[in-house]
């Protein structure tokens, strides 16, 4: 009887092990964030400039010293406490919900002391989007300049807190889509731009949920390098995308965030507005 009970217990344990094994999932390659490699040492400070405000910093080792740069909330200073420390890692979360992962190497002669991740991402995105495409970056820039010169034919806009975001025209050329837009500051207070995001989102859902929205990443953004909308002024912008459409159940939502402020603009358009696009 004891042998039978022991056998049953073994079978149950084996069954539980199989059940647990079946619940384990392998990560898809698209879910894995590939880290950047950063070089630091104990005598020089390396500064990383992020596209958005830094919200959280996690160091793999206490020997990595990290802090924000004064009032520049999107800049991070990193340095090694000692030269002979082993390889470690660094993770940074920014205000736009993105996670940046770094492998940190300590070396006597770092190859650089400053990194602009916005330029790095623009370069990576250009390489991805222009692969197997007829258009290249100089042509995209030229098309954006042409959009700026075109007469406006759309007036989709949103106004809030004396700020106005408007779509003035959508254009198509060789599989690319161009959004001509403007931002008007009706107040006397300058509007420093934190970031601008484009998402296709389910009409029926108000809260942002990862499974119900998809980010549309631009090929190129033509905008003022200062990223500031002065008081009582208007800035014209052009965003270039691979051509896309959306279903009647979705909206394209454009969010514009103010740096060090709470003035946020959110403009939503439907698929019918996208279909009004004109040829360049």
């Amino acid at each position: 009887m004891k042998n039978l009970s022991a056998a049953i217990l073994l079978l149950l344990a084996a069954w539980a092990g199989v059940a647990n094994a079946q619940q384990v999932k392998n990560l898809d390659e698209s879910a894995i964030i590939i880290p950047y490699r950063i070089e630091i040492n104990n005598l020089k400070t390396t500064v990383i400039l992020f596209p958005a405000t830094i919200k959280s910093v996690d160091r793999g080792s206490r020997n990595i010293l990290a802090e924000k740069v004064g009032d520049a909330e999107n800049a991070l200073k990193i340095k090694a406490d000692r030269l002979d420390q082993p390889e470690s890692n660094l993770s940074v979360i920014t205000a736009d919900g993105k996670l940046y992962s770094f492998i940190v190497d300590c070396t006597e002669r770092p190859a650089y002391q400053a990194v602009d991740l916005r330029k790095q991402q623009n370069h990576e995105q250009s390489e991805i989007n222009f692969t197997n495409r007829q258009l290249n970056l100089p042509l995209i820039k030229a098309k954006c300049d042409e959009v700026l010169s075109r007469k406006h034919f759309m007036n989709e806009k949103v106004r809030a807190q004396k700020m106005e975001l408007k779509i003035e025209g959508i254009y198509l050329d060789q599989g690319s889509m161009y959004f001509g837009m403007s931002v008007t500051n009706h107040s006397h207070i300058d509007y420093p731009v934190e970031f601008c995001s484009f998402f296709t989102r389910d009409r029926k859902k108000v809260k942002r949920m990862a499974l119900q929205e998809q980010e549309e990443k631009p090929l190129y953004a033509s905008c003022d390098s200062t990223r500031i909308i002065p008081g009582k002024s208007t800035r014209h912008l052009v965003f270039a995308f691979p051509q896309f459409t959306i279903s009647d159940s979705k909206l394209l939502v454009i969010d514009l965030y103010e740096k060090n402020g709470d003035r946020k603009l959110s403009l939503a358009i439907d698929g019918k507005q996208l279909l009004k696009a004109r040829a360049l």
Side-chain angles (χ1 to χ4, degrees):
M1 186 68 178
K2 290 183 178 180
N3 291 336
L4 179 61
S5 298
I8 292 173
L9 288 174
L10 287 172
L11 286 172
L12 288 173
W15 178 83
V18 172
N20 288 332
Q22 290 176 342
Q23 294 176 359
V24 176
K25 294 182 179 180
N26 292 323
L27 287 171
D28 184 78
E29 289 186 3
S30 63
I32 299 172
I33 298 176
I34 300 174
Y36 295 102
R37 187 169 294 277
I38 292 290
E39 295 180 353
I40 63 173
N41 74 5
N42 61 329
L43 298 177
K44 295 180 180 180
T45 299
T46 299
V47 178
I48 306 175
L49 187 65
F50 291 85
T53 297
I54 298 166
K55 289 297 184 182
S56 173
V57 179
D58 182 77
R59 300 169 297 156
S61 169
R62 290 182 299 175
N63 295 320
I64 299 174
L65 309 177
E67 66 175 355
K68 293 182 183 179
V69 180
D71 295 331
E73 296 189 352
N74 65 325
L76 184 71
K77 295 189 296 185
I78 58 174
K79 192 175 183 178
D81 185 39
R82 55 187 178 86
L83 187 60
D84 60 342
Q85 70 176 29
E87 179 183 278
S88 186
N89 74 308
L90 180 74
S91 298
V92 178
I93 296 176
T94 53
D96 54 355
K98 290 185 171 60
L99 169 65
Y100 297 86
S101 178
F102 302 90
I103 297 296
V104 183
D105 283 330
C106 193
T107 177
E108 289 187 6
R109 295 183 178 181
Y112 41 79
Q113 279 77 56
V115 178
D116 188 338
L117 284 183
R118 183 184 297 120
K119 292 182 178 179
Q120 172 68 21
Q121 289 183 334
N122 289 340
H123 172 72
E124 292 174 358
Q125 194 63 40
S126 295
E127 284 191 338
I128 292 171
N129 288 321
F130 292 129
T131 301
N132 298 324
R133 294 174 61 87
Q134 293 181 352
L135 288 175
N136 54 35
L137 188 56
L139 284 176
I140 289 284
K141 289 180 179 180
K143 294 297 180 182
C144 288
D145 291 339
E146 185 177 346
V147 169
L148 288 172
S149 67
R150 288 294 184 100
K151 184 178 179 181
H152 308 156
F153 69 93
M154 296 181 69
N155 193 36
E156 298 296 321
K157 61 185 177 181
V158 61
R159 294 189 67 169
Q161 297 176 301
K162 292 193 174 183
M163 295 296 300
E164 180 178 287
L165 176 63
K166 182 192 297 184
I167 297 179
E168 299 176 331
I170 303 176
Y171 302 88
L172 295 172
D173 185 80
Q174 299 185 50
S176 295
M177 181 176 283
Y178 299 84
F179 286 74
M181 301 170 58
S182 67
V183 184
T184 301
N185 186 351
H186 296 284
S187 75
H188 289 283
I189 302 174
D190 292 352
Y191 186 99
V193 177
E194 177 71 65
F195 61 90
C196 185
S197 61
F198 294 74
F199 287 90
T200 52
R201 187 175 303 171
D202 194 322
R203 272 181 183 270
K204 298 180 181 179
K205 299 295 181 182
V206 177
K207 294 183 179 180
R208 173 172 294 183
M209 298 178 66
L211 294 178
Q212 291 154 350
E213 64 177 31
Q214 176 182 340
E215 184 177 6
E216 301 293 341
K217 295 184 178 181
L219 297 165
Y220 177 76
S222 173
C223 54
D224 189 339
S225 60
T226 62
R227 300 177 65 84
I228 294 177
I229 316 298
K232 297 296 181 180
S233 71
T234 297
R235 288 288 184 271
H236 294 277
L237 320 171
V238 182
F239 293 88
F241 295 87
Q243 180 180 310
F244 68 94
T245 59
I246 58 176
S247 69
D248 292 339
S249 64
K250 294 184 179 295
L251 294 170
L252 174 66
V253 181
I254 305 166
D255 290 333
L256 186 71
Y257 291 83
E258 180 185 23
K259 184 177 181 180
N260 301 325
D262 292 328
R263 290 181 291 178
K264 174 192 172 185
L265 295 171
S266 186
L267 174 60
I269 62 172
D270 57 25
K272 293 180 181 178
Q273 297 299 322
L274 289 180
L275 295 177
K276 292 180 180 179
R278 297 182 179 179
L280 272 178

